[in-house]
Amino acid sequence: MTEPAARPYASLRDAAALIVGTADPVEKARLTALAREAWMGRTLSLTRPTLDRAMPNRPGRPPRPELLPPRAMPRRSLGGAKGRIAFLHAIAHIELNAMDLAWDIVGRFAGEGMPRSFFDQWTRVASEEALHFGLLCDRLAEHGAAYGDLPAHDGLWQAAEATGGDLAARLAVVPLVLEARGLDVTPSMIATFEEMGDEESAAVLKRIYEDEKGHVYVGAAWFRYLCDRAGQRAEPAFHRLVRTHFRGALKPPFNDRARSAACLTPGFYRPLEVVRT
């Protein structure tokens, strides 16, 4: 296959490495759209081993925001204009990391013998995360702020580092633990923004919430696929992988309805539940 001269990558795996390593979030989102279009247009191969660059160990990031350890992050609340900006900024940072995590799945596990539909779906996830980031940046701008104005959490890439050698573990921890947690907490955030009269921000969170159900569904479906391929039962495999690779705890309350709609049934997460005392 002859690649167009203007294309800055040799394959989908090469595009994933380029995008994850790109520091400018706007350029990262632009490259995401181009790579997704080329892949779905069937003009891009999955890999070109002699040309593909290595996946970065960490994603490229702009000089700002300042990245802090989780314990050093200032506490935030949704009260007042500053609290609203801090919250939108934090969610924008999560969505930026989610875009990179989706591309890291594509690039790091391109040699796992997965069906083409696996890459169709994860490039869609990456595109939706890029859209979410852009929508949140627009809301920040309308509040007189921008991504990078506040410090951000530097612990979000730990999940990628802990699961870089195991696709099943990556699916268990990222979509089925971290993204599933978003299904639990986002409805109350939407309600809070609506109570404050910020219907525009609430609408962005509603879009993110609906898309994230699909992302958890994609993770659950492919996790089950890998378990079937390996002759393993999905729920015990999930419990083992989460206990091995996830440092945190699974704490209620859980949005059982949204999780079940995303094909993540209680038998996955309830046995790992840690009850607050």
Side-chain angles (χ1 to χ4, degrees):
M1 180 184 297
T2 302
E3 304 295 341
R7 190 172 287 166
Y9 39 78
S11 69
L12 186 66
R13 180 167 62 183
D14 193 45
L18 174 63
I19 293 166
V20 173
T22 296
D24 180 4
V26 174
E27 179 65 3
K28 194 184 291 281
R30 187 187 75 84
L31 290 169
T32 290
L34 291 177
R36 163 74 174 168
E37 180 181 7
W39 174 253
M40 295 306 296
R42 302 310 190 227
T43 64
L44 194 64
S45 63
L46 176 59
T47 64
R48 296 185 70 179
T50 61
L51 298 176
D52 292 345
R53 68 200 83 193
M55 290 300 298
N57 291 325
R58 288 182 58 84
R61 288 288 178 265
R64 300 172 63 223
E66 178 187 7
L67 299 179
L68 300 176
R71 293 181 181 178
M73 283 293 295
R75 293 186 178 183
R76 64 177 185 271
S77 69
L78 269 171
K82 289 184 178 180
R84 199 178 311 180
I85 288 170
F87 178 82
L88 292 170
H89 191 279
I91 302 301
H93 186 66
I94 289 171
E95 296 300 315
L96 179 62
N97 275 270
M99 184 188 352
D100 283 321
L101 284 165
W103 279 117
D104 194 75
I105 286 175
V106 169
R108 196 167 300 279
F109 300 105
E112 294 287 316
M114 300 298 286
R116 188 179 185 101
S117 55
F118 175 86
F119 302 99
D120 292 350
Q121 292 179 356
W122 282 108
T123 56
R124 175 176 61 81
V125 170
S127 296
E128 289 175 351
E129 305 292 16
L131 173 65
H132 300 164
F133 178 76
L135 291 173
L136 289 160
C137 287
D138 290 344
R139 289 305 301 147
L140 284 169
E142 287 162 7
H143 285 290
Y147 178 70
D149 286 353
L150 299 172
H153 190 313
D154 195 32
L156 295 171
W157 199 251
Q158 290 176 352
E161 294 171 339
T163 58
D166 187 334
L167 176 56
R170 174 65 64 86
L171 295 174
V173 171
V174 174
L176 303 188
V177 171
L178 298 180
E179 290 205 64
R181 186 58 181 163
L183 301 183
D184 303 331
V185 301
T186 304
S188 64
M189 297 174 183
I190 292 169
T192 300
F193 271 101
E194 289 177 334
E195 290 169 4
M196 293 188 300
D198 190 344
E199 296 290 342
E200 294 83 359
S201 294
V204 171
L205 292 179
K206 287 177 183 177
R207 170 62 189 269
I208 292 173
Y209 177 64
E210 293 303 321
D211 286 346
E212 297 297 343
K213 290 179 189 176
H215 301 174
V216 175
Y217 179 88
V218 168
W222 287 112
F223 183 80
R224 286 185 168 90
Y225 171 89
L226 289 174
C227 290
D228 288 345
R229 192 169 75 174
Q232 299 177 343
R233 292 175 56 224
E235 289 178 1
F238 177 77
H239 302 157
R240 173 179 55 82
L241 290 167
V242 171
R243 289 186 177 113
T244 301
H245 296 282
F246 184 64
R247 298 180 183 178
L250 274 62
K251 298 179 181 180
F254 300 113
N255 187 341
D256 291 321
R257 178 177 295 181
R259 284 169 172 254
S260 292
C263 208
L264 186 61
T265 48
F268 277 84
Y269 54 89
R270 287 289 180 185
L272 301 173
E273 179 177 348
V274 175
V275 180
R276 295 184 179 93
T277 58

